[in-house]
Amino acid sequence: MKNLITIACLLFSLPLMAQTKVVKKNAVKANNFGITYSLPKTQLIIDAEVTKVTCKAGPYYKYAEKYLGVKDAVTEDKVYYELGKLSLVNKGIPDPDNTYIVEFKSGTVAPYAYLTEDGLLCSINAEYTPEESELESIKKNGQGPAKVTDASVFSEELLMAGSTARQAEVAAKQIYRIRESRLNILTGDADNLPPDGEAMKLVIQQLEEQEKALSNLFTGILTKETSHYEVSITPYDNLDKEVLFRFSNLMGIVDADDLGGVPVYMNLKATERAPVLDPKEAEKKEKSMKGIIYNVPGKASIEISMNKKTLYKGEAQITQFGSREGLAPVMFEDKKAPVKVYFYPETGAIKQIIQ
């Protein structure tokens, strides 16, 4: 089978993905003491952090170094993109080819299971509380647009200054007067000090906003807005230089077939893989598996790169590279001490067995 790739763009300002919900299923006479569940197959979610940088030059940028000593002022209006951190999350999605009905004997003590909303097994005979996913955690740590100070700073003196050079000189003098006023308040040398701490805090804040707005006339305004883009891939074999997406400094992330961007490659190599059984052995094993069927995932090393520079390197469990095994039904027939089993819903592997 081919590796499947899906790309989606998610702006951080949109609602976050809902946390995984679980459903409790009881094995009772009405459903013949059976519970239907699916084993997952591995889907890798690559989260790319992209920052849009908007630069707006100030009207006095030519005088930034002369009056303020600033050498890196914005000199032209432009927009560009930066590719930030890449994260990889292992997500389990239901495998329609591996759906099972587990049947408990009627004598079993109150058998029940917790499943995700899409039918992946979480626990048997044990309460299960879903944890926040890695993907949700990544997005919560994202950042929104940077705050831009837009206080009105064009005083009458500044507007009446005439030439741009003269205006820049007046604006610079206003900046230094503000700094002096703030210093006098902080050191207690001002003629009219604020009456209390809250009033002082407010005055200092207003002075800082005025200084920032005036300084922007020289340095310009640089606004950063971070968004997250997702690419999902379902691997069925090793990958060699698989193009996940392309990146352009002028356009940000673009489709894998858009030659306007530089390709971002993924290399994936199985490091632990279940042995391939011949058809007769596979059929024999399939018939012998009873009770609770679970996954024993394989593993793969993963590297993502662009322009020969590594952006991500790590390891992931891949259920497609592993095998399936079964828990004997007799384990769940003890009326006095029912066995509790916890699973990793993203891989279908056993997490813990409590007897």
Side-chain angles (χ1 to χ4, degrees):
M1 297 180 70
K2 293 182 178 179
N3 300 294
L4 303 179
I5 300 181
T6 305
I7 185 166
C9 163
L10 296 177
L11 285 177
F12 184 73
S13 57
L14 295 176
L16 293 174
M17 289 175 63
Q19 186 172 350
T20 303
K21 294 181 180 179
V22 296
V23 181
K24 184 177 181 180
K25 298 287 187 180
N26 293 295
V28 294
K29 187 175 182 180
N31 55 21
N32 294 320
F33 297 95
I35 294 173
T36 301
Y37 69 95
S38 295
L39 288 179
K41 58 182 175 181
T42 297
Q43 184 178 75
L44 300 176
I45 308 293
I46 298 90
D47 179 272
E49 184 182 88
V50 180
T51 301
K52 178 182 178 181
V53 183
T54 303
C55 302
K56 185 173 179 59
Y60 311 142
Y61 72 88
K62 293 181 180 180
Y63 307 95
E65 184 174 2
K66 177 180 179 180
Y67 290 122
L68 302 182
V70 176
K71 297 182 179 181
D72 57 350
V74 177
T75 59
E76 62 177 334
D77 295 350
K78 61 181 179 179
V79 176
Y80 63 91
Y81 293 84
E82 297 175 338
L83 183 60
K85 181 181 178 181
L86 263 63
S87 304
L88 185 142
V89 176
N90 188 326
K91 178 185 178 183
I93 58 175
D95 185 352
D97 294 329
N98 288 291
T99 298
Y100 302 91
I101 298 177
V102 53
E103 295 182 354
F104 296 92
K105 287 189 175 182
S106 58
T108 307
V109 178
Y112 65 91
Y114 273 88
L115 309 176
T116 64
E117 283 189 311
D118 47 7
L120 300 180
L121 193 58
C122 300
S123 66
I124 295 175
N125 293 334
E127 299 292 321
Y128 183 87
T129 302
E131 299 176 356
E132 181 180 71
S133 73
E134 292 180 59
L135 195 57
E136 290 160 0
S137 177
I138 290 168
K139 291 182 180 181
K140 280 187 179 180
N141 293 327
Q143 113 185 34
K147 181 180 178 182
V148 178
T149 303
D150 58 357
S152 178
V153 292
F154 287 94
S155 63
E156 182 179 359
E157 181 185 6
L158 185 57
L159 292 172
M160 298 292 291
S163 66
T164 301
R166 176 58 182 157
Q167 288 178 351
E169 182 182 355
V170 171
K173 289 181 178 179
Q174 289 182 1
I175 290 173
Y176 288 113
R177 283 200 295 267
I178 290 171
R179 291 176 179 175
E180 184 179 0
S181 297
R182 183 174 65 239
L183 180 62
N184 288 338
I185 291 173
L186 292 173
T187 58
D189 293 335
D191 294 333
N192 297 306
L193 289 171
D196 54 47
E198 284 298 318
M200 177 180 289
K201 183 178 178 181
L202 180 60
V203 170
I204 294 297
Q205 180 182 345
Q206 291 174 342
L207 288 173
E208 288 177 347
E209 288 181 355
Q210 290 176 17
E211 180 186 347
K212 178 63 176 175
L214 280 166
S215 297
N216 286 343
L217 299 177
F218 293 88
T219 63
I221 298 175
L222 189 146
T223 306
K224 293 187 176 183
E225 185 176 356
T226 299
S227 58
H228 286 261
Y229 291 78
E230 287 181 12
V231 178
S232 61
I233 181 167
T234 306
Y236 292 96
D237 207 340
N238 293 334
L239 300 176
D240 182 33
K241 298 189 75 173
E242 186 81 30
V243 179
L244 296 177
F245 55 85
R246 292 174 182 264
F247 179 77
S248 163
N249 290 329
L250 298 178
M251 297 179 289
I253 286 183
V254 296
D255 291 340
D257 57 356
D258 189 334
L259 300 183
V262 178
V264 175
Y265 296 111
M266 171 185 274
N267 289 330
L268 183 149
K269 184 177 181 181
T271 55
E272 292 183 19
R273 191 195 288 264
V276 179
L277 303 178
D278 63 45
K280 287 186 178 180
E281 290 177 324
E283 184 180 0
K284 183 180 179 180
K285 181 179 179 181
E286 194 73 27
K287 289 180 178 179
S288 68
M289 286 196 301
K290 296 180 180 179
I292 307 297
I293 310 301
Y294 62 95
N295 282 333
V296 179
K299 288 184 179 180
S301 61
I302 298 171
E303 183 175 11
I304 302 174
S305 61
M306 182 178 73
N307 286 332
K308 297 183 179 180
K309 178 183 178 182
T310 298
L311 305 178
Y312 174 89
K313 193 171 186 177
E315 191 177 57
Q317 292 187 320
I318 310 291
T319 60
Q320 291 87 308
F321 295 166
S323 61
R324 294 183 300 279
E325 303 295 336
L327 292 175
V330 69
M331 291 179 59
F332 303 93
E333 294 176 8
D334 190 335
K335 295 182 180 180
K336 295 181 180 180
V339 172
K340 297 180 179 180
V341 187
Y342 294 89
F343 298 86
Y344 293 102
E346 63 272 14
T347 63
I350 294 175
K351 181 177 183 180
Q352 186 181 23
I353 298 177
I354 302 176
Q355 293 181 309

